[in-house]
């Protein structure tokens, strides 16, 4: 009876819906043929990294029960399942993937035209992996009132419940799962996937056979990150999103929004993201968020006293929330890969990946590998194989404007697959 009680608690309890249970029947949206995947990968210049597709890929829409950021909240999330089919009939490991930051509320991974969904199809599903990718709380079909951005615990529950949903959907969509589970994600998703691996191993060890985790360009070291004096690229999106979402989770980052944000942003920032119609570039172009250099955008939005307090006080609520959601200090049971590029202006490895690896090393953790793909990025996208150095040049703006979102991900995904291939 004790084990049954534990299972009830783990899966949602007798008070609410079963976590991970499907709300709608899984819907097969389309099948991407191996030939289509090869053609798209070749046209994007990616086939040297992806390899030739071995499988057709079914794109399946999921809508499943999960829990919110606060105790006792039952809600839902949507996402995609990518199922290898056609010539691929062998049992597939299941990769649970978490996407990068997006502020467009309607975006779903269950979209065959989504660029990140295509990368997952080409790198993994067409190579014999089943993939499940959540849309997160507050996006697409999720009825949750907001998105708890970079909130480690709810990222983890949403991903873990996506694995349960994929397992439940498997038989009806022709997925033959081996039982092995991997976790991966990029940018916000690297933070989310690491949180999910930590929770799966710590809390659900008998439910999930975790084979490995590959956490890519993720902001793991949030406590130090909020104290870095130079603003990161995209600061006017990421940092307000963090502050306002953590305020909704914890309720104590401020008592008056005007003490954090300057006008006009203080008037609407709390409900700006995720946005029903605009992505981040549209929010900046329309003036909803400031443009300029990262430092200029930061200074246009934020009250200097608030940021100074977070930078200097060990009891400042923004700093404490960041510390609560950083991922230092955990010890993985399954192998872990960290990947990033040294030139990343958005999630600098010097702030996140290297301290994360140093933290593992300091505690004698031996199953973590850290890879820097900057040389590949420079060789492929630099000028004469080198990163541009003139900050006033168009080439510099293009290179660093595309580094985190476009250039870096395929190289890290290739590293992830190499690791997963060794343990699948």
């Amino acid at each position: 009876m004790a084990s049954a009680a534990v299972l009830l608690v783990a899966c949602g309890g007798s008070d609410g819906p079963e976590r991970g249970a499907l709300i709608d029947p899984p819907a097969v949206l389309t099948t991407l043929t191996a030939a289509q995947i090869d053609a798209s990968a070749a046209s994007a210049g990616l086939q040297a990294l992806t390899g030739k597709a071995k499988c057709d890929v079914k794109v399946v829409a999921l809508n499943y029960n999960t829990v919110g950021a606060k105790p006792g909240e039952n809600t839902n999330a949507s996402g995609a399942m990518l199922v290898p089919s056609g010539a691929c009939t062998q049992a597939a490991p299941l990769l649970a993937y978490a996407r990068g930051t997006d502020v467009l509320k309607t975006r779903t991974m269950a979209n065959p035209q989504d660029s990140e969904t295509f990368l997952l199809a080409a790198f993994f599903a067409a190579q014999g992996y089943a993939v499940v990718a959540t849309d997160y709380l507050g996006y697409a079909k999720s009825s949750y009132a907001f998105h708890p951005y970079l909130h480690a615990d709810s990222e983890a529950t949403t991903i873990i419940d996506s694995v349960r949903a994929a397992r439940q959907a498997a038989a009806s969509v022709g997925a033959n799962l081996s039982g092995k589970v991997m976790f991966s994600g990029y940018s916000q998703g690297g933070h989310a996937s690491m949180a999910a691996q930590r929770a799966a191993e710590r809390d659900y060890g008998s439910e999930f056979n975790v084979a490995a985790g590959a956490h890519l360009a993720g902001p793991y070291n949030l406590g130090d990150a909020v104290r870095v004096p130079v603003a990161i690229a995209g600061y006017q999106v990421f940092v307000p999103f963090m502050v306002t979402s953590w305020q909704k989770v914890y309720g104590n980052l401020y008592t008056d929004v005007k003490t954090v944000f300057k006008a006009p942003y203080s008037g609407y920032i709390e409900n700006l993201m995720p946005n029903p119609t605009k992505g981040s570039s549209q929010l900046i172009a329309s003036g909803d968020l400031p443009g300029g250099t990262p430092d200029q955008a930061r200074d246009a939005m934020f009250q200097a006293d608030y940021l100074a307090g977070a930078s200097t006080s060990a009891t400042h609520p923004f700093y404490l929330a960041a510390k609560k959601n950083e991922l230092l200090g955990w010890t993985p049971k399954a192998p872990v890969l960290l990947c990033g590029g040294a030139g990343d202006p958005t999630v600098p490895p010097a702030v996140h990946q290297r301290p994360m690896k140093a933290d593992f090393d300091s505690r004698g953790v031996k199953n973590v590998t850290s890879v820097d793909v900057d040389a590949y990025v420079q060789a492929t996208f630099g000028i004469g194989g080198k990163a541009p150095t003139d900050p006033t040049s168009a080439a510099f703006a293009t290179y660093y404007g595309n580094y985190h979102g476009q250039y870096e991900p395929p190289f890290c995904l290739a590293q992830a697959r190499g690791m997963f291939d060794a343990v699948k």
Side-chain angles (χ1 to χ4, degrees), residues 251-287:
N252 67 349
L253 270 75
Y254 53 83
T255 54
D256 182 350
V257 68
K258 295 184 183 68
T259 63
V260 184
F261 297 97
K262 296 176 180 176
Y265 311 104
S266 57
Y268 57 80
I269 192 68
E270 292 177 293
N271 297 306
L272 187 67
M273 298 178 285
N275 193 275
T277 59
K278 298 175 185 176
S280 55
S281 59
Q282 288 79 24
L283 289 173
I284 294 168
S286 66

Side-chain angles (χ1 to χ4, degrees), residues 46-275:
L46 290 172
Q47 199 159 34
L49 291 174
T50 64
K52 286 186 70 68
K54 301 173 183 175
C55 323
D56 298 339
V57 175
K58 294 179 187 175
V59 181
V60 181
L62 301 178
N63 184 17
Y64 61 94
N65 290 315
T66 189
V67 290
K70 301 175 187 177
E73 292 183 325
N74 295 305
T75 187
N76 71 303
S78 55
M81 186 176 184
L82 305 180
V83 180
S85 61
C88 296
T89 58
Q90 68 272 29
L94 179 60
L95 170 61
Y97 180 83
R99 72 188 193 195
T101 302
D102 198 306
V103 301
L104 183 62
K105 184 177 175 62
T106 55
R107 185 188 171 201
T108 177
M109 296 296 283
N111 172 9
Q113 281 76 49
D114 188 276
S115 59
E116 205 164 356
T117 300
F118 171 73
L119 289 176
L120 296 177
F123 276 99
F124 298 104
Q127 302 295 325
Y129 290 80
V131 181
V132 64
T134 184
D135 294 332
Y136 295 130
L137 294 174
Y139 286 91
K141 292 183 179 177
S142 176
S143 62
Y144 200 62
F146 69 100
H147 175 57
Y149 183 57
L150 293 177
H151 178 251
D153 288 346
S154 63
E155 286 174 335
T157 51
T158 309
I159 295 167
I160 285 168
D161 291 343
S162 78
V163 175
R164 292 169 170 151
R167 287 175 165 177
Q168 190 177 123
S172 66
V173 297
N176 177 18
L177 301 181
S178 70
K180 287 188 175 180
V181 177
M182 290 95 162
F183 293 97
S184 189
Y186 185 82
S187 192
Q188 176 190 1
H191 179 269
S193 63
M194 185 180 286
Q197 181 181 352
R198 178 181 69 174
E201 292 181 344
R202 179 190 65 204
D203 302 332
Y204 307 107
S206 60
E207 183 181 355
F208 300 112
N209 176 12
V210 181
H215 313 301
L216 316 176
Y220 321 111
N221 182 27
L222 290 167
D224 286 344
V226 302
R227 296 187 155 182
V228 174
V230 178
I232 58 170
Y235 188 100
Q236 68 268 57
V237 176
F238 305 123
V239 180
F241 207 0
M242 288 163 59
V243 172
T244 56
S245 73
W246 290 345
Q247 169 69 11
K248 289 167 187 168
V249 174
Y250 303 118
N252 67 349
L253 270 75
Y254 53 83
T255 54
D256 182 350
V257 68
K258 295 184 183 68
T259 63
V260 184
F261 297 97
K262 296 176 180 176
Y265 311 104
S266 57
Y268 57 80
I269 192 68
E270 292 177 293
N271 297 306
L272 187 67
M273 298 178 285
N275 193 275

Side-chain angles (χ1 to χ4, degrees), residues 190-413:
H191 179 269
S193 63
M194 185 180 286
Q197 181 181 352
R198 178 181 69 174
E201 292 181 344
R202 179 190 65 204
D203 302 332
Y204 307 107
S206 60
E207 183 181 355
F208 300 112
N209 176 12
V210 181
H215 313 301
L216 316 176
Y220 321 111
N221 182 27
L222 290 167
D224 286 344
V226 302
R227 296 187 155 182
V228 174
V230 178
I232 58 170
Y235 188 100
Q236 68 268 57
V237 176
F238 305 123
V239 180
F241 207 0
M242 288 163 59
V243 172
T244 56
S245 73
W246 290 345
Q247 169 69 11
K248 289 167 187 168
V249 174
Y250 303 118
N252 67 349
L253 270 75
Y254 53 83
T255 54
D256 182 350
V257 68
K258 295 184 183 68
T259 63
V260 184
F261 297 97
K262 296 176 180 176
Y265 311 104
S266 57
Y268 57 80
I269 192 68
E270 292 177 293
N271 297 306
L272 187 67
M273 298 178 285
N275 193 275
T277 59
K278 298 175 185 176
S280 55
S281 59
Q282 288 79 24
L283 289 173
I284 294 168
S286 66
D288 293 310
L289 294 174
T293 68
D295 282 359
Q296 287 169 340
R298 176 198 62 203
D299 295 344
M301 288 194 81
F302 277 91
Q303 300 287 1
D305 288 351
Y306 189 84
L307 295 181
S311 296
T312 57
S313 169
T315 59
H316 192 277
F318 182 33
Y319 174 72
L320 290 177
K323 291 292 290 182
K324 194 174 292 189
N325 289 290
E326 71 182 19
L327 296 168
L328 304 182
W330 78 289
T331 301
K333 298 175 183 176
V336 162
L337 171 76
L338 305 176
C339 181
D344 189 334
T346 302
V347 186
V351 179
H352 296 285
Q353 183 175 334
R354 288 179 213 155
M356 190 78 237
K357 181 64 162 64
D359 174 73
F360 286 132
D361 291 346
S362 72
R363 292 178 290 109
V365 177
K366 302 295 187 187
N367 58 349
V368 176
T369 304
S370 183
V371 176
D372 181 355
V373 296
D374 186 65
Y376 299 116
V377 176
Q378 289 199 50
T380 307
F381 299 106
I383 299 172
K386 297 293 183 182
T389 56
D390 178 3
T392 65
S393 68
F396 188 96
T398 298
Y399 182 83
Y400 286 104
N402 287 309
Y403 193 112
H404 180 77
Q406 302 294 326
Y407 298 165
E408 188 179 8
F411 294 113
C412 278
L413 289 170

